Amino acid sequence: MAETNFSTVVEFILLGFSDLASLQGFLFGIFLFIYTSILVGNGLIIVITKVTAALQTPMYFFLRNFSFLEICYTSVTIPRMLSDLWTQKKNISLLACGIQLAILLSLGGTESFFLSVMAYDRYVAICKPLYYPVIMNHKKCLQLVTGAWLIGIPIQIAQTCQIFSLSFCGSNELSHVFCDIPPLLKLACGDTSLNELSVYAGATIFVTVPSLLILWSYTKIIKTILKLPSAVGRHKAFSTCSSHLIVVGLFYGSGFITYLRPKSNHSPGVDKVLALFYTIVTPLFNPMIYSLRNKDVIAAIKQLVSKCLS
């Protein structure tokens, strides 16, 4: 099977935005600006949460790791997109495509579990504030972060190997901006029902399970907040969770639609938009969401800027 795969198709053509030939330069500028903004914004969060004494708490430790993850996540796809737009060479080898897919899926799984870890941190902080320093100690935080980084790697590599064990014959044009499961399955020969089932199983593990954990955490959080006697206390508690909930909605919303839809409902245009949404939009808005809605982060940024200017 694998031999047929490689003898039939030796590379894919990432069509990307080839249907917008007159806008290639404009799109390059837009994506370059977005990628630069992601690097600068998330890099700034990493720096200020590392050097600011007031931000040495578990919540900002997780946020620092999450921002680093966002940089890694976008670096798997955007530089390749920029290269394709600049050189107009859209071919990608099977090996490069497989590596890109494996890394992308692994980092996506990591992000999914990171969001559930951050929800658990808010649950402990709000529902068990007296025990928070004991439960969320440094060792526990390291274990949670390490687990989130590593838990998805073996499963996602196995799923990538399963996808690339299929035979790809006929057209090698991948109607997408990077290598992803839905467009690859469209080019596969023969029956792919087992592979689709595998995709749904993977989505259940990496999308549904973490989202249910987040739902459980916030159900407990909301019940606790509503019991607070002070309106100011309720508002403060909600504000510490709102940024995280916005990021959760952006990531899981696009993830559910992308990987839990039947193959027959996939269209290249919609797939491209959703792909850009969960690989670019969330990392782009992550720094703004967490900084503009967080007084401690804003104060830390002002303090850092004043030190640099003095």
Side-chain angles (χ1 to χ4, degrees):
M1 182 76 72
E3 185 178 349
T4 303
N5 175 18
F6 280 87
S7 63
T8 305
V9 174
V10 296
E11 65 178 10
F12 292 115
I13 306 297
L14 286 169
L15 295 180
F17 303 99
S18 55
D19 53 332
L20 302 172
S22 61
L23 297 177
Q24 300 295 294
F26 174 75
L27 290 172
F28 177 85
I30 290 294
F31 286 120
L32 180 61
F33 173 77
I34 290 174
Y35 186 50
T36 304
S37 300
I38 290 171
L39 295 179
V40 172
N42 286 283
L44 182 61
I45 285 185
I46 292 172
V47 171
I48 62 175
T49 55
K50 184 67 175 178
V51 303
T52 306
L55 302 183
Q56 302 307 306
T57 64
M59 181 176 77
Y60 295 107
F61 173 72
F62 293 135
L63 179 58
R64 180 164 64 250
N65 278 272
F66 187 71
S67 294
F68 177 68
L69 171 63
E70 296 287 54
I71 290 175
C72 295
Y73 196 45
T74 53
S75 295
V76 178
T77 56
I78 299 183
R80 172 77 203 198
M81 291 165 56
L82 291 172
S83 174
D84 290 346
L85 287 168
W86 182 260
T87 64
Q88 296 300 303
K89 295 180 180 178
K90 302 178 183 298
N91 55 306
I92 182 170
S93 68
L94 286 175
L95 178 60
C97 186
I99 292 173
Q100 185 185 58
L101 179 62
I103 296 175
L104 186 67
L105 291 178
S106 297
L107 293 178
T110 297
E111 181 160 350
S112 187
F113 280 101
F114 245 114
L115 290 172
S116 61
V117 166
M118 294 168 77
Y120 175 71
D121 173 70
R122 292 299 83 208
Y123 159 73
V124 177
I126 294 173
C127 300
K128 299 181 178 181
L130 297 178
Y131 297 98
Y132 183 70
V134 177
I135 297 175
M136 301 303 292
N137 56 65
H138 185 64
K139 182 179 179 181
K140 181 66 169 291
C141 292
L142 283 176
Q143 289 174 340
L144 289 171
V145 166
T146 303
W149 274 103
L150 298 179
I151 192 170
I153 293 177
I155 298 175
Q156 300 293 25
I157 290 178
Q159 189 167 65
T160 301
C161 291
Q162 185 185 48
I163 293 295
F164 279 86
S165 69
L166 294 168
S167 293
F168 298 99
C169 53
S171 174
N172 67 337
E173 294 184 344
L174 205 63
S175 185
H176 210 52
V177 290
F178 54 82
C179 291
D180 203 0
I181 293 177
L184 283 169
L185 287 179
K186 282 190 174 182
L187 296 185
C189 305
D191 184 16
T192 60
S193 56
L194 287 178
N195 299 91
E196 290 182 60
L197 185 61
S198 174
V199 171
Y200 294 140
T204 300
I205 295 173
F206 292 102
V207 178
T208 307
V209 172
S211 64
L212 289 176
L213 292 173
I214 293 171
L215 180 63
W216 176 84
S217 297
Y218 277 103
T219 300
K220 296 286 187 180
I221 289 171
I222 292 171
K223 287 182 179 179
T224 301
I225 290 175
L226 293 177
K227 293 178 182 178
L228 295 176
S230 168
V232 176
R234 289 195 296 270
H235 179 268
K236 184 177 180 181
F238 272 122
S239 66
T240 62
C241 301
S242 58
S243 299
H244 181 250
L245 282 172
I246 293 172
V247 174
V248 167
L250 290 172
F251 181 77
Y252 282 113
S254 56
F256 268 116
I257 298 172
T258 300
Y259 291 105
L260 293 178
R261 286 182 300 154
K263 181 182 176 181
S264 57
N265 291 345
H266 285 271
S267 67
V270 173
D271 285 345
K272 288 178 189 178
V273 172
L274 289 172
L276 293 175
F277 205 86
Y278 66 78
T279 58
I280 294 179
V281 174
T282 302
L284 175 64
F285 284 104
N286 174 49
M288 290 183 279
I289 291 170
Y290 279 105
S291 60
L292 295 178
R293 301 180 63 86
N294 191 307
K295 293 180 180 179
D296 293 334
V297 174
I298 293 175
I301 292 174
K302 290 180 179 177
Q303 184 180 1
L304 182 64
V305 171
S306 63
K307 283 184 180 180
C308 293
L309 295 177
S310 61

